[in-house]
Amino acid sequence: MHTEANEMISMKPKRHKKARADDSVMGTNDASIVSKRDVEKCYGYPLPHVYRNFVKKPKRRSPLIHRGYWFRMYAIEKVVKRFLSEASDKRKIVLNLGCGYDALPFQILAKENEICRNTTFVDVDYPSLIASKAAIIKEKDELRSLLEKIMDSKNPKAVPLRSEHYMAVGCDLRNVDQLDKILRAEVPLQKCKILVVAEVSITYMDLDAADAIVKYAAGLGDVRFCLLEQILPAGSSHPFAVQMQSHFEKLNTPLKSIHRYPTPKHQMQRFRERNWSSVSSRSLWGLWCDSRFISARERSSLNAFEPFDEWEAFAFFASHYILLVASNTANATAIDYHTEATYLGSDDTTTDSDADNSSFMPDTCMPHQPKETIRTHGALYKGRRDEFYHYGGFGEMKRLDTTDVYTPKHTTPFYDGKLPNAIEPRMCHTATTLRYRNQDGSYDCLIVGGRASPEHALADCWLHRDRTWRQVESLPQGRYRHSATTTTDKDGDQVVLIYGGRSGNGATLDSWLYWHDKLGWTEITCEDSSLVPRFGASMVSNGPHTGVLLGGMSEDGTVIPEFWKWEINLSLEPPRVKLSTHCFSSAFLQQTVCRFGASISSGASSVFVVGGVAHYGCLSLPYEFLELLPDSFDVRPMISQMEKFKGVPVPLLIGHSSVWDEDGLAIVGGGAVCFSFGNFSNIGVWRVSEDGRMDYDPWYLCLEKDQLPREEPLPKRIKLTINNKYNGSDGPGTAPIPVSRERLLRDGRFDRIVLKSEPVVMEGLGLGPCTTRWTAEYLKRQIGPERQVTVHQAESRDMNFQEKNFTYVTKAFGIFIDEISTGQTQYLRSLSKTEPARSPANFAMDYPNIATDFRLPSQLQMVIQSFHSSVLRISGPVAMWLHYDVMANVLCQVRGMKRLLLFPPSDISNLQIPYGESSSSVNVFAADALGTGGFAKTHPVEVVLQAGDILFIPPLWAHSAFPTDGVSVAVNTFFKNIASGYAPGRDVYGNRDIQAYEDGRRDIEKISKRFGGIPAAMSKCYLERLAAELLEKAGKVGVS
């Protein structure tokens, strides 16, 4: 395909597709090694710090990345040390496949030299990477000094570094025969005891090649295999899994093993079928929770290095990785699988139908969202029967002190929910609705505690009564992630009961307290000393003086699979709470019900538990919603059939809130940082009805009263036809149909717009302050006048990609802005700041100084979740040539006005676009363009975008644009609107044709060649018949 992307990178030598893919795989090593170096630095590793030798530019990672990489490193190191500690007269080989710059051999040689006396560490990776690694080791005294007896290799090209205890081997792992030849020339493998390590490496290989490695290793003699890689414990549709897979696909390093071997059970079967006699496997979360693998003291000790409160996200990360140990000899080290054989959503419940859920796109629309409502770890409470409020939590960038007000219809809320300015933004607090009904029909509510940072627990409490907030007595000690519910005192007054939580010094609390309007806080004595301190437990009352407490997390960071029934007596002095345990019929059920971070609600006759993290980790979809029946506490999934989810995207049920009313269960908010794979945020309100059906709730989010949307008239429409003056000439032409306009503020239908696949202009959504701030001077000041940018410098006012009537010129941004402001025909299409030829543009990363001025509206959540790239476009008076994009995209007009002509995919054959390309040579704005030739048969549509307008451009809709009012500034965001089918590999500009088309063109070439030697008349006849048959099939596409 000859496109703008190809032209701009044509000055660089082209590399083979396989080589580019290899580069991408090697690129994953860079991010990984930087994270490991930061762990080494921040988590108290003893000197010497060997990873620092491989990292030129260290970066500070988040606590979540630290915790995840620390445990990943701990798990591999544990297996390697256990292997090295086994008694044996044989020489030991630790063979690290796809090692990258991993420094584990040097870490162990420095700290555990005694167990390495008879050991050789062998690192294997791509030859170029190994050559670089060997050069670094030789250069760094700290590393070189750890190697005894550096010696000559028999094959110095393949083995650039050889010593008594370390060997670096450059070999493509897809060539097993070559690997075997190199190893056997250096090491007597059959006389050695071998541990093969593959830490997130062979999953990037084609499946046949990866499986060949597994089978090859089994034949090396006395050998074990340690595999650490990704799995899908709750199916491919789980939001974390979707985010993880999307992340690696964007890096051009798709996880190729994960779909054939999605669970520990599948991975174990994989090894058994390839001659491994003993195989055991655990998820990293299963190992984290097993004190035989990592002690409670070791888990707790990590809290001394940095505050940590991202437990759900850590559990999801650890649930999506396994550690497998296989052996072909007796008495080898194994990982006890024990109760994880019934790993929910992994071995038994992940089905083909589950995998299909990854393509869920809402047939129903997202609920009305007039402003951003992304918040996790907020608190939900009722205001009146027909209103509820979602307060606080963590938003896109900070903790919040705002309240979202929801009503069952688009009306002004009775109360705006705004708290006093004195209240500090917070998260992980509780908001408990009291049954008191004020004269106006509103409920009372008590907000308790919460936190700013994990070290800053809050003690203040706030009461809402009669539409007014007032501060009441503070807690004796600040706490967050505590449990709260209501109960009744001896006089029948309703009080708030709280238990557990964490304090600012990291201590896990075990105290019970209750709050009375007149008495403030009073401590309660617990009669059962076996209740261990916990935080993040779920508690709810199911009677005037009774209730249940389930799950929670212990101080060492493991989920407690306990279910307690409580009975409180506030008439005693001191007040007392009596506890009794309840055990379910199986350990699996016990661990499924008793969770950490779930929301819990009490209905008319049942208790409802939603989301959170189970003792075994990530929950599969049907079991995320449980109903506990009264008295017996029998358990049933609220959603028993996957069909009931069709048309509804799957939410990430952590950090959310839920409330029960007569219409069912309403769920709001939630989401998480999915490790290093990006953020996932739930938008809107979900409703789970009594029959177990899940859908978007017809409740609406309303703004605070002083920000309620006003019904303003639409902007004045500027009527233009094809006869408008362009380049000083007029022409007859054909009048295009105007593109339809919608105000999504009133009618949020973006998902249906995408499915309909026709251009639409969306008005009134708001793009942030960019529409007023982005003047020429502001952009120069914020971006930097000296910053170098590559622009199209055109010879005339219509650029032509086929004729190349423009050149690519690199110049200072300030000069570019000054020149287009005076009418020069130049155009900026931003590129990736770091890798312009390899990576798609990302406006937020490429232009961080102005990125916060621009905001994609929340109604465009599909764009955010399926993001491909975002581009800054700044144009003088010059037309962009007619072309189509394969990715769907939204064009957000920020400043100026821009006119576009668009043509549907059915017109492409008439647009003079060569096969295999995406650009036309025709200037459609010329006077007679649409009235001649094939263009007379086209069906153009037309739009003039004004500041604040958002145009949805569907895939394959050819379009050309021209500014009509001086300088035009826009942000163009591309997204994947189909679940699969895109061409694999790099697509910098979002206009690479889909895989089926690329394959089809290659097939056409093969077919035409097969007629070689056949008489011309016969060849022509047969080819025309084939073409006619293909056209006939094309005519039947979409016809039922």
Side-chain angles (χ1 to χ4, degrees), residues 729-783:
S729 60
D730 296 317
T734 303
I737 300 171
V739 173
S740 63
R741 289 176 173 261
E742 291 196 17
R743 285 183 71 90
L744 287 188
L745 182 65
R746 187 184 306 116
D747 186 17
R749 303 293 187 205
F750 182 68
D751 302 312
R752 288 186 176 179
I753 288 172
V754 174
L755 290 174
K756 194 174 181 181
S757 198
E758 293 179 1
V760 171
V761 176
M762 295 161 279
E763 302 173 319
L765 293 184
L767 298 173
C770 57
T771 53
T772 56
R773 286 183 182 173
W774 285 6
T775 62
E777 291 304 315
Y778 179 85
L779 290 175
K780 284 196 293 184
R781 183 172 64 253
Q782 293 299 110
I783 293 175

Side-chain angles (χ1 to χ4, degrees), residues 867-882:
F867 175 85
H868 171 266
S869 58
S870 53
V871 177
L872 177 66
R873 298 186 183 273
I874 305 179
S875 177
V878 62
M880 180 66 182
W881 59 83
L882 182 67

Side-chain angles (χ1 to χ4, degrees), residues 97 173 176 196-218 225-231 254-281 322-327 337 347:
L97 303 179
L173 292 176
V176 175
V196 179
V197 177
E199 181 187 357
V200 193
S201 57
I202 64 173
T203 189
Y204 300 128
M205 299 169 62
D206 290 336
L207 279 170
D208 290 344
D211 287 343
I213 282 285
V214 173
K215 186 173 182 179
Y216 161 73
F225 200 117
C226 174
L227 175 76
L228 190 148
E229 66 182 40
Q230 298 86 346
I231 55 170
L255 304 175
K256 297 179 180 178
S257 298
I258 201 168
H259 295 290
R260 184 179 292 181
Y261 309 114
T263 69
K265 178 180 177 181
H266 291 100
Q267 285 282 13
M268 293 170 70
Q269 186 64 28
R270 173 194 197 180
F271 275 74
R272 290 191 182 111
E273 290 175 352
R274 288 163 182 83
N275 304 326
W276 294 90
S277 57
S278 173
V279 189
S280 60
S281 176
I322 63 158
L323 185 71
L324 176 147
V325 174
S327 173
Y337 196 52
D347 298 338

Side-chain angles (χ1 to χ4, degrees), residues 615-677:
H615 180 72
Y616 48 74
C618 191
L619 289 154
S620 64
L621 196 56
Y623 292 93
E624 290 199 282
F625 303 86
L626 294 183
E627 179 181 2
L628 304 181
L629 302 180
D631 301 326
S632 65
F633 292 111
D634 288 341
V635 180
R636 73 176 183 90
M638 294 181 68
I639 301 172
S640 56
Q641 300 177 22
M642 294 303 301
E643 288 75 15
K644 296 183 179 181
F645 267 91
K646 287 191 174 175
V648 181
V650 180
L652 185 61
L653 291 173
I654 58 176
H656 64 286
S657 301
S658 65
V659 63
W660 179 268
D661 63 18
E662 57 268 26
D663 295 323
L665 194 67
I667 303 163
V668 178
V673 176
C674 298
F675 200 61
S676 59
F677 313 136

Side-chain angles (χ1 to χ4, degrees), residues 832-901:
S832 168
K833 185 177 180 180
T834 55
E835 295 183 304
R838 292 174 53 84
S839 301
N842 185 324
F843 168 68
M845 298 174 63
D846 301 331
Y847 293 90
N849 290 347
I850 61 171
T852 55
D853 296 339
F854 173 81
R855 176 177 60 82
L856 267 179
S858 61
Q859 291 91 334
L860 276 56
Q861 187 66 14
M862 182 189 294
V863 179
I864 299 168
Q865 293 181 350
S866 304
F867 175 85
H868 171 266
S869 58
S870 53
V871 177
L872 177 66
R873 298 186 183 273
I874 305 179
S875 177
V878 62
M880 180 66 182
W881 59 83
L882 182 67
H883 70 284
Y884 68 76
D885 300 306
V886 177
M887 297 277 182
N889 62 94
V890 288
L891 180 62
C892 303
Q893 189 68 21
V894 178
R895 300 279 293 186
M897 298 167 59
K898 181 181 292 182
R899 179 187 177 199
L900 290 95
L901 288 173

Side-chain angles (χ1 to χ4, degrees), residues 159-178:
V159 186
L161 179 59
R162 177 78 164 94
S163 76
E164 180 75 14
H165 295 301
Y166 180 79
M167 183 166 66
V169 175
C171 180
D172 189 330
L173 292 176
R174 290 165 294 202
N175 192 336
V176 175
D177 292 339
Q178 183 185 23

Side-chain angles (χ1 to χ4, degrees), residues 394-431:
F394 193 86
E396 291 182 272
M397 299 294 292
K398 63 181 181 179
R399 289 176 290 276
L400 305 173
D401 61 356
T402 58
T403 304
D404 289 337
V405 183
Y406 293 86
T407 65
K409 54 186 177 180
H410 190 193
T411 58
T412 301
F414 175 74
Y415 165 65
D416 64 16
K418 191 170 184 179
L419 275 83
N421 292 333
I423 188 167
E424 186 174 353
R426 65 194 61 213
M427 59 189 292
C428 301
H429 51 286
T430 57

